[in-house]
C-alpha cells in the first residue's frame, strides 16, 4: 500500500544524502569510513598506556604574491581520518576517563566570509561520515580542552615525516608543533608516532587495496587511450594533456606525481618532466604516470614505439627489461628485504646486460662491489613502497611482509644508443608471493603493437 508519510521521509533522506555528497568537496565518491576506523584501531593498539597522540594537517604552502600551492593533506592524517581539509587535527587518547574524548577530530569552524572566497568547509555531520569519528570540536575551542587531557597523560605521541627519502628542509607544521609541545610540557615523555606508522601504513588492508585498484584501473584506461593517440609528430605535452583529461574525467583527484613523458633520449633522465619535445618516428617513448584516487596512488611506466612498431634492437632491449621485471616479480615475496632483493635483481641484470651486448666479462671481473658494472645502465632502485604517498612510508631494511604494496620498475638506459626503457607495475605481497595489481595492462611487445595497430 502507498504510504504518503513514508514516501515523504524517503524523499527527505535522499535529499539530505544528496546535499552531503554535493557539499563534501570530493571528486570521488566517499570511501567507506571503515578504512579509517580500522587504521585508528591499529594505531591505538600500538600506543602505550596513558598516552595521547596528536596529528596535524600540513601547512598551506605559499607560492608567489598572494597565491598558495594546491593544498595537499598530511598523509598520516589522511590515513587515520580521510579528512582532506586544512587546519584539521586528530587527538587519540584511549585512556581518557571521559569516553567521549578518547577520539577527537578538530576542524576549523565554518566561516561565512571564508566560504564566500574559498568554498564550503566541513560541518560536523559530514566530517563524522567521512572519518567515522563521533566527537568533533572546533579548532578555536581546542586549547582549553587539550590542557587537562595532557595533564592526565604520561606520554605524548607526536608526528614527524620519517620517510627515508624525505628531502624537505622547511620547518613544516609537525616540527613547529613538536617544538611548542616540548616547551609547554617539559616533564612529559614524548614518543614518535612515525615509528608506529611506518610499520602500519606499509601493510595495506583489503579495503585500501580496493581503492588502489581503482586508481590503477583509471591509469589502465588512460594508457589504452594513449596507445590510440600516440603517433609521430605528437608533442609530449599533448600526451600529458590526454592523461589529465582522462584522469579527471574518471574522478581521479590529480596525477599522483608529475607525469614523465620522455621520448627518445629524454627517457634516460629519470625525473624528466619538461614534456616539451616532439615524438619522432622510430623513437621509443617512456611514460611514467599514475592516477591519485581517494588519496591513494597508482604508479605505472610503459615504454612504447612512437610509430607503433619496435625495431629489432628496441625489441631486444625491451624484452631484456621485461625479463628483469618478471625475474624481480618471482623473488619479491615475504622474507627478503628490499636491499637484498635489489642486489639479486642486480645479479640478474649483470647476466642479461652481457647477453644484449652492454657488458663484457672483463667489466664484471673487475667491478667495484660498491659501484657494480650493471649500474652504468640501470642506475636506480627496483622497487619502492606505494600507497597514499607514491614513495610510501615503509622499511627497506626489514624483511618484506604480506600486505605490503611495491612497485617493480627495472629500466635499461643506454647513452650510446640514445635509448631508455622502463617497465613498472604495482604488486601486493601475499603470504607466499605477490599479486600483480596491473596484470590487465598491456605489457608485451606483441600486445602493445597489436593495440597500437588497431587504433
Ligand atoms: N614515478 C616515480 C617512480 O616511479 O618512482
Ligand atoms: Mn613511476
Ligand atoms: Mn615508481
Amino acid at each position: 500500500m502507498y504510504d504518503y508519510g513514508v514516501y515523504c521521509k524517503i524523499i527527505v533522506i535522499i535529499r539530505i544524502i544528496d546535499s552531503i555528497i554535493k557539499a563534501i568537496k570530493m571528486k570521488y565518491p566517499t570511501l567507506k569510513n571503515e578504512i579509517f576506523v580500522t587504521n585508528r584501531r591499529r594505531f591505538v593498539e600500538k600506543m602505550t598506556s596513558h598516552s595521547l597522540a596528536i596529528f596535524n594537517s600540513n601547512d598551506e604552502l605559499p607560492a608567489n604574491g598572494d597565491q598558495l600551492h594546491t593544498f595537499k593533506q598530511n598523509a598520516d592524517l589522511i590515513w587515520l581520518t580521510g579528512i582532506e581539509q586544512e587546519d584539521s587535527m586528530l587527538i587519540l587518547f584511549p585512556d581518557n576517563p571521559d569516553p567521549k574524548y578518547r577520539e577527537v577530530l578538530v576542524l576549523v569552524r565554518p566561516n561565512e566570509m571564508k566560504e564566500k572566497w574559498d568554498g564550503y568547509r566541513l560541518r560536523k555531520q559530514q566530517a563524522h561520515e567521512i572519518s567515522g569519528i563521533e566527537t568533533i570540536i572546533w579548532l578555536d575551542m581546542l586549547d582549553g580542552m587539550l590542557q587537562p587531557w595532557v595533564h592526565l597523560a604520561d606520554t605524548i605521541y607526536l608526528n614527524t615525516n620519517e620517510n627515508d627519502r624525505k628531502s624537505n628542509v622547511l620547518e613544516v607544521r609537525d616540527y613547529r608543533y613538536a617544538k611548542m609541545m616540548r616547551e609547554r610540557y617539559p616533564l612529559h615523555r614524548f614518543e614518535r608516532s612515525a615509528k608506529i606508522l611506518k610499520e602500519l601504513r606499509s601493510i595495506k588492508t583489503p579495503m585500501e587495496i580496493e581503492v588502489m585498484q581503482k586508481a590503477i584501473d583509471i591509469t589502465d584506461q588512460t594508457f589504452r587511450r594513449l596507445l590510440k593517440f600516440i603517433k609521430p609528430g605528437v608533442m609530449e605535452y599533448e600526451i600529458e594533456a590526454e592523461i589529465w583529461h582522462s584522469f579527471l574525467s574518471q574522478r581521479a583527484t590529480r596525477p599522483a606525481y608529475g607525469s614523465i613523458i620522455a621520448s627518445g633520449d629524454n627517457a634516460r633522465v629519470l625525473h624528466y618532466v619538461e614534456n616539451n619535445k616532439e615524438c619522432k618516428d622510430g623513437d621509443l617513448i617512456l611514460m611514467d604516470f599514475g592516477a591519485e584516487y581517494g588519496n591513494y596512488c597508482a604508479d605505472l611506466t610503459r615504454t612504447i614505439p612512437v610509430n607503433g612498431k619496435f625495431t629489432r634492437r628496441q625489441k631486444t632491449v625491451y624484452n631484456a627489461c621485461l625479463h628483469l621485471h618478471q625475474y624481480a616479480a618471482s623473488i619479491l615475496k615475504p622474507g627478503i628485504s628490499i636491499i637484498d632483493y635489489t642486489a639479486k635483481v642486480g645479479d640478474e641484470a649483470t647476466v642479461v646486460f652481457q647477453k644484449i651486448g652492454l657488458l663484457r666479462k672483463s667489466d664484471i671481473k673487475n667491478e667495484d662491489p660498491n659501484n657494480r658494472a650493471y649500474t652504468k645502465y640501470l642506475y636506480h632502485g627496483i622497487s619502492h613502497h606505494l600507497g597514499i604517498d607514491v614513495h610510501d612510508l615503509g622499511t627497506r631494511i626489514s624483511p618484506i611482509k604480506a600486505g605490503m604494496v611495491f612497485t617493480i620498475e627495472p629500466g635499461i638506459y643506454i647513452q650510446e644508443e640514445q635509448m631508455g626503457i622502463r617497465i613498472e607495475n604495482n604488486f601486493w605481497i601475499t603470504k607466499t608471493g605477490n599479486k600483480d595489481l596491473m596484470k590487465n595492462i598491456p605489457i608485451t611487445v606483441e600486445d602493445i603493437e597489436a593495440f597500437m595497430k588497431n587504433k
Side-chain angles (χ1 to χ4, degrees):
M1 282 297 283
Y2 184 73
D3 182 330
Y4 186 70
V6 171
Y7 171 78
C8 288
K9 275 184 199 149
I10 290 172
I11 293 293
V12 168
I13 289 169
I14 289 173
R15 285 206 180 127
I16 290 172
I17 292 172
D18 188 51
S19 66
I20 288 174
I21 289 170
K22 282 199 187 114
I24 298 171
K25 294 199 308 179
M26 286 172 174
K27 293 203 175 98
Y28 56 91
T30 315
L31 305 182
K32 287 182 259 187
N33 64 27
E34 208 188 328
I35 297 181
F36 313 114
V37 172
T38 306
N39 289 345
R40 288 196 297 279
R41 180 179 48 70
R42 291 169 69 202
F43 186 90
V44 164
E45 279 167 12
K46 300 275 181 188
M47 291 172 72
T48 58
S49 65
H50 295 94
S51 65
L52 175 145
I54 307 175
F55 299 89
N56 280 289
S57 283
N58 277 342
D59 285 313
E60 290 186 277
L61 291 176
N64 285 318
D66 65 349
Q67 302 291 300
L68 294 174
H69 286 289
T70 306
F71 180 68
K72 181 94 172 128
Q73 185 56 286
N74 179 285
D76 297 312
L77 195 64
I78 281 283
W79 187 81
L80 289 158
T81 66
I83 296 291
E84 295 177 4
Q85 189 166 285
E86 77 287 348
D87 292 329
S88 309
M89 293 171 77
L90 170 69
I91 297 161
L92 298 174
F93 185 13
D95 294 328
N96 193 329
D98 185 344
K100 192 163 166 249
Y101 294 111
R102 289 182 180 162
E103 194 174 74
V104 178
L105 180 66
V106 185
L107 293 179
V108 71
R109 190 190 293 271
N111 166 315
E112 199 186 328
M113 185 50 83
K114 187 169 168 55
E115 289 192 339
K116 280 187 177 153
W117 284 85
D118 296 332
Y120 190 84
R121 289 299 179 266
L122 290 172
R123 302 303 192 259
K124 289 186 179 180
Q125 179 57 26
Q126 293 143 7
H128 163 68
E129 311 261 342
I130 295 168
S131 64
I133 297 172
E134 299 288 343
T135 305
I136 294 163
I137 63 169
W138 303 126
L139 182 59
D140 52 32
M141 297 163 56
L142 176 66
D143 255 3
M145 299 180 81
L146 184 62
Q147 175 122 329
W149 300 337
V150 172
H151 292 167
L152 286 165
D154 297 326
T155 304
I156 304 170
Y157 284 87
L158 295 177
N159 202 17
T160 58
N161 177 7
E162 293 198 19
N163 188 312
D164 292 341
R165 303 166 65 138
K166 141 185 123 113
S167 61
N168 75 54
V169 285
L170 274 183
E171 193 186 26
V172 292
R173 183 174 298 190
D174 275 337
Y175 291 79
R176 298 195 306 275
Y177 193 79
K179 227 187 229 175
M180 182 273 284
M181 288 298 279
R182 281 174 161 279
E183 267 174 30
R184 197 179 279 186
Y185 302 105
L187 299 184
H188 274 71
R189 197 168 42 234
F190 287 89
E191 289 284 349
R192 291 146 53 208
S193 301
K195 208 170 151 190
I196 299 176
L197 288 163
K198 194 167 197 164
E199 198 187 316
L200 296 183
R201 263 182 58 191
S202 65
I203 310 278
K204 273 72 183 178
T205 60
M207 289 178 289
E208 290 179 290
I209 295 295
E210 244 180 73
V211 186
M212 290 185 80
Q213 187 67 61
K214 178 74 186 163
I216 287 168
D217 293 345
I218 292 171
T219 308
D220 180 357
Q221 288 311 312
T222 304
F223 176 58
R224 288 165 194 271
R225 174 166 160 176
L226 297 182
L227 286 172
K228 295 197 189 111
F229 178 76
I230 290 170
K231 58 176 192 254
V234 157
M235 300 300 289
E236 292 166 349
Y237 55 76
E238 292 181 284
I239 299 172
E240 188 181 3
E242 289 291 304
I243 291 172
W244 272 98
H245 187 275
S246 173
F247 281 180
L248 295 192
S249 54
Q250 292 183 78
R251 305 183 82 168
T253 321
R254 53 178 85 86
Y257 50 90
S259 304
I260 298 165
I261 310 298
S263 62
D265 202 29
N266 302 325
R268 292 189 302 108
V269 180
L270 299 181
H271 290 161
Y272 174 83
V273 287
E274 284 81 2
N275 302 346
N276 59 4
K277 303 281 186 325
E278 183 184 325
C279 302
K280 299 263 169 54
D281 197 354
D283 275 351
L284 293 174
I285 178 162
L286 181 157
M287 298 178 293
D288 184 340
F289 63 99
E292 181 193 296
Y293 178 86
N295 289 296
Y296 283 80
C297 299
D299 186 6
L300 173 79
T301 308
R302 286 291 183 270
T303 310
I304 66 170
V306 169
N307 65 13
K309 190 110 183 89
F310 288 85
T311 65
R312 187 199 286 249
R313 177 61 178 166
Q314 287 167 348
K315 186 171 169 178
T316 301
V317 180
Y318 187 93
N319 280 335
C321 190
L322 187 56
H323 168 83
L324 285 182
H325 193 269
Q326 287 160 346
Y327 173 76
S330 74
I331 60 169
L332 189 72
K333 49 180 142 180
I336 195 167
S337 72
I338 283 295
I339 287 182
D340 292 345
Y341 148 90
T342 306
K344 276 183 161 237
V345 178
D347 293 342
E348 189 67 11
T350 303
V351 175
V352 168
F353 290 179
Q354 287 178 82
K355 282 192 191 151
I356 61 171
L358 296 179
L359 292 178
R360 292 174 309 230
K361 276 216 165 63
S362 56
D363 296 323
I364 295 146
K365 213 169 126 208
N366 305 323
E367 79 176 3
D368 171 357
N370 295 317
N371 184 21
R372 297 185 59 189
Y374 82 85
T375 60
K376 182 175 175 198
Y377 299 101
L378 168 45
Y379 36 84
H380 57 70
I382 307 297
S383 293
H384 57 79
H385 291 270
L386 179 72
I388 288 180
D389 290 322
V390 69
H391 295 155
D392 210 30
L393 200 57
T395 174
R396 290 167 49 76
I397 296 163
S398 315
I400 290 172
K401 289 186 182 157
M404 292 179 172
V405 174
F406 289 101
T407 63
I408 294 182
E409 50 181 305
I412 305 178
Y413 311 95
I414 314 174
Q415 186 172 3
E416 307 83 285
E417 301 179 43
Q418 277 115 53
M419 185 196 296
I421 293 176
R422 181 163 67 251
I423 302 172
E424 176 175 27
N425 277 16
N426 306 155
F427 290 79
W428 189 24
I429 306 296
T430 60
K431 280 198 184 112
T432 55
N434 60 56
K435 187 173 168 224
D436 184 355
L437 301 173
M438 289 184 159
K439 67 177 188 318
N440 295 331
I441 306 184
I443 195 169
T444 63
V445 163
E446 295 70 26
D447 280 350
I448 288 169
E449 287 184 347
F451 274 102
M452 292 186 82
K453 200 170 166 190
N454 298 325
K455 284 185 191 207

